[in-house]
Amino acid sequence: MEQKSKALAVLKENELIERAKNKDHAAFEELVKRNQARIYNLGLKLLGNKEDAADLLQETFINAYYALPKFEGKSAFSTWLYRIATNNAFMKMRKKKIPLVRFESDRDASEQKNFTDVPDWSNDPRAHLKNEELKILLEKSVDALPGKYKTIFVLHDIEGFSTEEISKMLDLSVPAVKSRIHRSRMFLRDKLSQYFQSHAGHGAKL
Amino acid sequence: MKCEKYLELISLYLDKELDQMLIDDLEEHLSLCARCLALFHTMEKTVSLSRTYYKQRHCKVPRNVSSQIFYHLRIIYKKEKF
Ligand SMILES: [Zn+2]
């Protein structure tokens, strides 16, 4: 038994997938072990708490187990897994009545308005992760993004997936993905800008 | 100045997804427009702060959460035998 799992650990992903498709349970479990941290952390970011992240992780791999015979290898295994995970995350958001695409209406307006007079705070010494206030604000702001925007922002700007990969995961066109990345960044930048503007004078002058 | 036209280009520029023609156009605008330059710098900073923040927060999967998955899978294997 020990011997067997050691041998699996050195196998390439596509070999594990082939074995798992032929009902080699140990091979599937090795795929779980290799990918579980990514999916769990995705859940933490998208859903914001450990319980939902744990649920998401479990559902994703149970779904993946049943869906594996249909996996044809046209996309990377991780892309396929993320597709299942994000669909599960959207379902959870819907249950919790978290808006998926709608921005808070007042934010919408201020996004445009604030563009006119935002100073460049990028070199402000408080724009640093040693600033606890900023960390809290960052997390709150990402959480305030509508579900699908948050997902796209996390997949692209944090996890580093390409716009093409995200478009396959979410069944969106590449231009739609790009425009949502942009809109999310504008929203987050706006939140941070408000913070630096309302604290003007407390830190270094620009 | 038509700044609106450059907003989304700034995002694409950050991702190195712009064609050379548009890069030239945007870079020229950035050299003339302090507003868009500030937008570019603060947007870049917003992205890098977010990325670093979430990297620092990366968690291990709790052991009991992980063993739950394997427990459930084993129930499924058993059902499939019958
Ligand atoms: Zn401009």
Side-chain angles (χ1 to χ4, degrees):
Chain A
M1 192 66 193
E2 260 315 289
Q3 204 67 33
K4 201 179 169 195
S5 67
K6 255 183 210 155
L8 285 171
V10 300
L11 283 184
K12 290 209 178 90
E13 190 177 76
N14 56 353
E15 294 172 312
L16 286 172
I17 293 165
E18 268 325 299
R19 289 187 187 204
K21 278 185 157 183
N22 292 314
K23 293 286 166 205
D24 178 341
H25 296 151
F28 184 77
E29 290 176 14
E30 177 64 22
L31 287 168
V32 174
K33 284 178 197 155
R34 288 188 192 183
N35 291 284
Q36 62 177 354
R38 293 181 81 183
I39 302 296
Y40 181 67
N41 279 278
L42 178 74
L44 285 175
K45 286 171 215 146
L46 297 187
L47 302 165
N49 68 79
K50 289 178 183 168
E51 292 71 30
D52 285 333
D55 279 354
L56 180 81
L57 177 64
Q58 182 161 324
E59 289 163 14
T60 298
F61 281 109
I62 301 290
N63 293 345
Y65 177 79
Y66 284 119
L68 193 65
K70 284 179 273 171
F71 175 68
E72 290 171 343
K74 280 182 191 159
S75 61
F77 182 68
S78 62
T79 310
W80 181 77
L81 210 52
Y82 269 69
R83 184 185 165 91
I84 297 173
T86 49
N87 271 319
N88 282 332
F90 294 152
M91 260 186 322
K92 288 190 180 301
M93 289 173 188
R94 277 192 201 100
K95 263 190 206 150
K96 295 193 158 191
K97 310 244 183 283
I98 295 170
L100 289 184
V101 290
R102 190 170 36 81
F103 278 85
E104 315 154 35
S105 53
D106 57 333
R107 279 288 138 263
D108 250 354
S110 75
E111 237 177 284
Q112 307 294 329
K113 200 174 62 212
N114 276 350
F115 171 63
T116 50
D117 55 350
V118 169
D120 184 355
W121 47 262
S122 62
N123 288 316
D124 189 308
R126 293 163 302 161
H128 197 284
L129 290 174
K130 281 181 185 142
N131 178 356
E132 290 298 322
E133 253 182 352
L134 182 70
K135 289 206 278 199
I136 293 166
L137 175 70
L138 249 183
E139 177 141 6
K140 268 175 72 179
S141 306
V142 172
D143 264 344
L145 281 167
K148 292 204 172 175
Y149 286 81
K150 188 199 293 179
T151 303
I152 290 172
F153 176 77
V154 164
L155 291 173
H156 188 266
D157 281 0
I158 298 176
E159 308 252 337
F161 283 104
S162 71
T163 49
E164 285 78 13
E165 286 167 317
I166 297 169
S167 104
K168 279 183 203 141
M169 279 177 211
L170 305 183
D171 287 326
L172 273 171
S173 70
V174 170
V177 172
K178 286 181 180 173
S179 105
R180 286 180 179 197
I181 292 167
H182 174 67
R183 185 119 188 256
S184 305
R185 289 170 174 174
M186 289 294 277
F187 176 86
L188 297 175
R189 189 202 72 109
D190 181 36
K191 295 275 191 189
L192 297 190
S193 295
Q194 285 172 19
Y195 165 81
F196 287 107
Q197 277 182 301
S198 68
H199 286 61
H202 291 286
K205 284 263 160 67
L206 290 166
Chain B
M1 248 173 280
K2 263 274 174 229
C3 293
E4 283 70 25
K5 168 183 150 191
Y6 293 101
L7 292 183
E8 201 161 338
L9 295 189
I10 289 175
S11 234
L12 297 170
Y13 185 63
L14 272 180
D15 295 332
K16 303 192 167 53
E17 295 214 33
L18 268 193
D19 300 336
Q20 193 56 47
M21 229 176 69
L22 288 169
I23 292 178
D24 295 342
D25 188 11
L26 176 66
E27 284 181 346
E28 191 189 341
H29 181 74
L30 291 180
S31 71
L32 301 169
C33 177
R35 272 204 293 177
C36 285
L37 189 63
L39 176 83
F40 168 67
H41 285 139
T42 50
M43 183 183 273
E44 187 175 40
K45 191 75 182 183
T46 300
V47 172
S48 73
L49 283 170
S50 309
R51 188 173 296 149
T52 314
Y53 173 68
Y54 282 103
K55 283 238 167 82
Q56 286 176 358
R57 293 208 45 190
H58 190 86
C59 293
K60 272 191 173 178
V61 182
R63 199 170 294 166
N64 64 318
V65 170
S66 186
S67 51
Q68 272 283 318
I69 303 172
F70 298 114
Y71 173 77
H72 274 264
L73 283 171
R74 272 156 210 172
I75 293 175
I76 294 172
Y77 306 153
K78 268 189 197 155
K79 278 190 199 153
E80 283 182 333
K81 274 192 186 166
F82 296 104

PDB file of all heavy atoms in Angstrom, chain B residues 47-61:
ATOM      1  N   VAL B  47      -3.351  46.151  -8.185  1.00  0.00           N
ATOM      2  CA  VAL B  47      -3.193  44.743  -8.578  1.00  0.00           C
ATOM      3  C   VAL B  47      -2.052  44.091  -7.804  1.00  0.00           C
ATOM      4  O   VAL B  47      -2.196  42.989  -7.270  1.00  0.00           O
ATOM      5  CB  VAL B  47      -2.970  44.617 -10.108  1.00  0.00           C
ATOM      6  CG1 VAL B  47      -2.620  43.185 -10.491  1.00  0.00           C
ATOM      7  CG2 VAL B  47      -4.204  45.092 -10.865  1.00  0.00           C
ATOM      8  N   SER B  48      -0.918  44.789  -7.686  1.00  0.00           N
ATOM      9  CA  SER B  48       0.219  44.151  -7.023  1.00  0.00           C
ATOM     10  C   SER B  48      -0.032  43.984  -5.525  1.00  0.00           C
ATOM     11  O   SER B  48       0.363  42.980  -4.933  1.00  0.00           O
ATOM     12  CB  SER B  48       1.521  44.899  -7.311  1.00  0.00           C
ATOM     13  OG  SER B  48       1.565  46.099  -6.601  1.00  0.00           O
ATOM     14  N   LEU B  49      -0.705  44.945  -4.910  1.00  0.00           N
ATOM     15  CA  LEU B  49      -1.054  44.793  -3.484  1.00  0.00           C
ATOM     16  C   LEU B  49      -1.989  43.606  -3.286  1.00  0.00           C
ATOM     17  O   LEU B  49      -1.798  42.804  -2.370  1.00  0.00           O
ATOM     18  CB  LEU B  49      -1.744  46.068  -2.961  1.00  0.00           C
ATOM     19  CG  LEU B  49      -0.863  47.286  -2.664  1.00  0.00           C
ATOM     20  CD1 LEU B  49      -1.735  48.518  -2.393  1.00  0.00           C
ATOM     21  CD2 LEU B  49       0.061  47.027  -1.478  1.00  0.00           C
ATOM     22  N   SER B  50      -2.989  43.475  -4.136  1.00  0.00           N
ATOM     23  CA  SER B  50      -3.948  42.370  -4.008  1.00  0.00           C
ATOM     24  C   SER B  50      -3.237  41.036  -4.156  1.00  0.00           C
ATOM     25  O   SER B  50      -3.453  40.106  -3.378  1.00  0.00           O
ATOM     26  CB  SER B  50      -5.034  42.448  -5.081  1.00  0.00           C
ATOM     27  OG  SER B  50      -5.608  43.727  -5.119  1.00  0.00           O
ATOM     28  N   ARG B  51      -2.392  40.944  -5.169  1.00  0.00           N
ATOM     29  CA  ARG B  51      -1.694  39.689  -5.433  1.00  0.00           C
ATOM     30  C   ARG B  51      -0.835  39.286  -4.240  1.00  0.00           C
ATOM     31  O   ARG B  51      -0.893  38.161  -3.759  1.00  0.00           O
ATOM     32  CB  ARG B  51      -0.830  39.848  -6.687  1.00  0.00           C
ATOM     33  CG  ARG B  51      -0.213  38.554  -7.168  1.00  0.00           C
ATOM     34  CD  ARG B  51       0.486  38.754  -8.492  1.00  0.00           C
ATOM     35  NE  ARG B  51      -0.451  39.128  -9.539  1.00  0.00           N
ATOM     36  CZ  ARG B  51      -0.150  39.904 -10.579  1.00  0.00           C
ATOM     37  NH1 ARG B  51       1.069  40.398 -10.690  1.00  0.00           N
ATOM     38  NH2 ARG B  51      -1.057  40.197 -11.481  1.00  0.00           N
ATOM     39  N   THR B  52      -0.064  40.225  -3.731  1.00  0.00           N
ATOM     40  CA  THR B  52       0.823  39.918  -2.611  1.00  0.00           C
ATOM     41  C   THR B  52       0.018  39.577  -1.359  1.00  0.00           C
ATOM     42  O   THR B  52       0.353  38.642  -0.628  1.00  0.00           O
ATOM     43  CB  THR B  52       1.745  41.120  -2.318  1.00  0.00           C
ATOM     44  OG1 THR B  52       2.263  41.595  -3.557  1.00  0.00           O
ATOM     45  CG2 THR B  52       2.894  40.725  -1.424  1.00  0.00           C
ATOM     46  N   TYR B  53      -1.036  40.323  -1.145  1.00  0.00           N
ATOM     47  CA  TYR B  53      -1.861  40.084   0.043  1.00  0.00           C
ATOM     48  C   TYR B  53      -2.395  38.652   0.068  1.00  0.00           C
ATOM     49  O   TYR B  53      -2.266  37.940   1.059  1.00  0.00           O
ATOM     50  CB  TYR B  53      -3.021  41.078   0.085  1.00  0.00           C
ATOM     51  CG  TYR B  53      -4.015  40.795   1.178  1.00  0.00           C
ATOM     52  CD1 TYR B  53      -3.653  40.951   2.519  1.00  0.00           C
ATOM     53  CD2 TYR B  53      -5.297  40.349   0.885  1.00  0.00           C
ATOM     54  CE1 TYR B  53      -4.559  40.669   3.533  1.00  0.00           C
ATOM     55  CE2 TYR B  53      -6.207  40.070   1.893  1.00  0.00           C
ATOM     56  CZ  TYR B  53      -5.838  40.230   3.211  1.00  0.00           C
ATOM     57  OH  TYR B  53      -6.724  39.944   4.211  1.00  0.00           O
ATOM     58  N   TYR B  54      -2.979  38.214  -1.049  1.00  0.00           N
ATOM     59  CA  TYR B  54      -3.572  36.875  -1.064  1.00  0.00           C
ATOM     60  C   TYR B  54      -2.506  35.782  -1.072  1.00  0.00           C
ATOM     61  O   TYR B  54      -2.756  34.678  -0.584  1.00  0.00           O
ATOM     62  CB  TYR B  54      -4.554  36.725  -2.218  1.00  0.00           C
ATOM     63  CG  TYR B  54      -5.875  37.398  -1.916  1.00  0.00           C
ATOM     64  CD1 TYR B  54      -6.214  38.631  -2.474  1.00  0.00           C
ATOM     65  CD2 TYR B  54      -6.780  36.817  -1.031  1.00  0.00           C
ATOM     66  CE1 TYR B  54      -7.420  39.252  -2.179  1.00  0.00           C
ATOM     67  CE2 TYR B  54      -7.995  37.430  -0.721  1.00  0.00           C
ATOM     68  CZ  TYR B  54      -8.303  38.640  -1.297  1.00  0.00           C
ATOM     69  OH  TYR B  54      -9.494  39.250  -0.992  1.00  0.00           O
ATOM     70  N   LYS B  55      -1.337  36.062  -1.625  1.00  0.00           N
ATOM     71  CA  LYS B  55      -0.254  35.069  -1.576  1.00  0.00           C
ATOM     72  C   LYS B  55       0.145  34.823  -0.121  1.00  0.00           C
ATOM     73  O   LYS B  55       0.367  33.698   0.297  1.00  0.00           O
ATOM     74  CB  LYS B  55       0.964  35.570  -2.364  1.00  0.00           C
ATOM     75  CG  LYS B  55       0.781  35.436  -3.854  1.00  0.00           C
ATOM     76  CD  LYS B  55       1.872  34.566  -4.496  1.00  0.00           C
ATOM     77  CE  LYS B  55       1.484  34.197  -5.912  1.00  0.00           C
ATOM     78  NZ  LYS B  55       1.803  35.278  -6.884  1.00  0.00           N
ATOM     79  N   GLN B  56       0.224  35.905   0.640  1.00  0.00           N
ATOM     80  CA  GLN B  56       0.604  35.794   2.053  1.00  0.00           C
ATOM     81  C   GLN B  56      -0.426  35.008   2.855  1.00  0.00           C
ATOM     82  O   GLN B  56      -0.101  34.422   3.876  1.00  0.00           O
ATOM     83  CB  GLN B  56       0.740  37.189   2.673  1.00  0.00           C
ATOM     84  CG  GLN B  56       1.981  37.936   2.235  1.00  0.00           C
ATOM     85  CD  GLN B  56       2.028  39.351   2.800  1.00  0.00           C
ATOM     86  OE1 GLN B  56       1.110  39.792   3.494  1.00  0.00           O
ATOM     87  NE2 GLN B  56       3.105  40.067   2.505  1.00  0.00           N
ATOM     88  N   ARG B  57      -1.675  35.067   2.390  1.00  0.00           N
ATOM     89  CA  ARG B  57      -2.741  34.428   3.154  1.00  0.00           C
ATOM     90  C   ARG B  57      -2.957  32.962   2.795  1.00  0.00           C
ATOM     91  O   ARG B  57      -3.870  32.325   3.303  1.00  0.00           O
ATOM     92  CB  ARG B  57      -4.057  35.188   2.931  1.00  0.00           C
ATOM     93  CG  ARG B  57      -4.029  36.580   3.517  1.00  0.00           C
ATOM     94  CD  ARG B  57      -5.402  37.006   3.886  1.00  0.00           C
ATOM     95  NE  ARG B  57      -6.107  35.925   4.580  1.00  0.00           N
ATOM     96  CZ  ARG B  57      -7.382  35.941   4.860  1.00  0.00           C
ATOM     97  NH1 ARG B  57      -8.122  36.938   4.524  1.00  0.00           N
ATOM     98  NH2 ARG B  57      -7.956  34.928   5.498  1.00  0.00           N
ATOM     99  N   HIS B  58      -2.145  32.450   1.881  1.00  0.00           N
ATOM    100  CA  HIS B  58      -2.331  31.069   1.431  1.00  0.00           C
ATOM    101  C   HIS B  58      -2.359  30.088   2.619  1.00  0.00           C
ATOM    102  O   HIS B  58      -1.482  30.109   3.472  1.00  0.00           O
ATOM    103  CB  HIS B  58      -1.205  30.691   0.470  1.00  0.00           C
ATOM    104  CG  HIS B  58      -1.441  29.387  -0.227  1.00  0.00           C
ATOM    105  ND1 HIS B  58      -2.170  29.309  -1.393  1.00  0.00           N
ATOM    106  CD2 HIS B  58      -1.075  28.127   0.094  1.00  0.00           C
ATOM    107  CE1 HIS B  58      -2.225  28.039  -1.772  1.00  0.00           C
ATOM    108  NE2 HIS B  58      -1.571  27.309  -0.897  1.00  0.00           N
ATOM    109  N   CYS B  59      -3.391  29.237   2.675  1.00  0.00           N
ATOM    110  CA  CYS B  59      -3.577  28.304   3.799  1.00  0.00           C
ATOM    111  C   CYS B  59      -3.388  26.868   3.350  1.00  0.00           C
ATOM    112  O   CYS B  59      -3.672  26.528   2.207  1.00  0.00           O
ATOM    113  CB  CYS B  59      -5.003  28.397   4.333  1.00  0.00           C
ATOM    114  SG  CYS B  59      -5.413  29.932   5.112  1.00  0.00           S
ATOM    115  N   LYS B  60      -2.988  26.028   4.292  1.00  0.00           N
ATOM    116  CA  LYS B  60      -2.995  24.588   4.056  1.00  0.00           C
ATOM    117  C   LYS B  60      -4.417  24.086   4.247  1.00  0.00           C
ATOM    118  O   LYS B  60      -5.188  24.673   5.008  1.00  0.00           O
ATOM    119  CB  LYS B  60      -2.109  23.901   5.094  1.00  0.00           C
ATOM    120  CG  LYS B  60      -0.658  23.808   4.696  1.00  0.00           C
ATOM    121  CD  LYS B  60       0.043  22.880   5.675  1.00  0.00           C
ATOM    122  CE  LYS B  60       1.467  22.603   5.255  1.00  0.00           C
ATOM    123  NZ  LYS B  60       2.150  21.744   6.237  1.00  0.00           N
ATOM    124  N   VAL B  61      -4.731  22.974   3.598  1.00  0.00           N
ATOM    125  CA  VAL B  61      -6.048  22.373   3.812  1.00  0.00           C
ATOM    126  C   VAL B  61      -6.034  21.691   5.182  1.00  0.00           C
ATOM    127  O   VAL B  61      -5.153  20.870   5.447  1.00  0.00           O
ATOM    128  CB  VAL B  61      -6.362  21.325   2.721  1.00  0.00           C
ATOM    129  CG1 VAL B  61      -7.754  20.740   2.919  1.00  0.00           C
ATOM    130  CG2 VAL B  61      -6.229  21.946   1.334  1.00  0.00           C
TER     131      VAL B  61
END
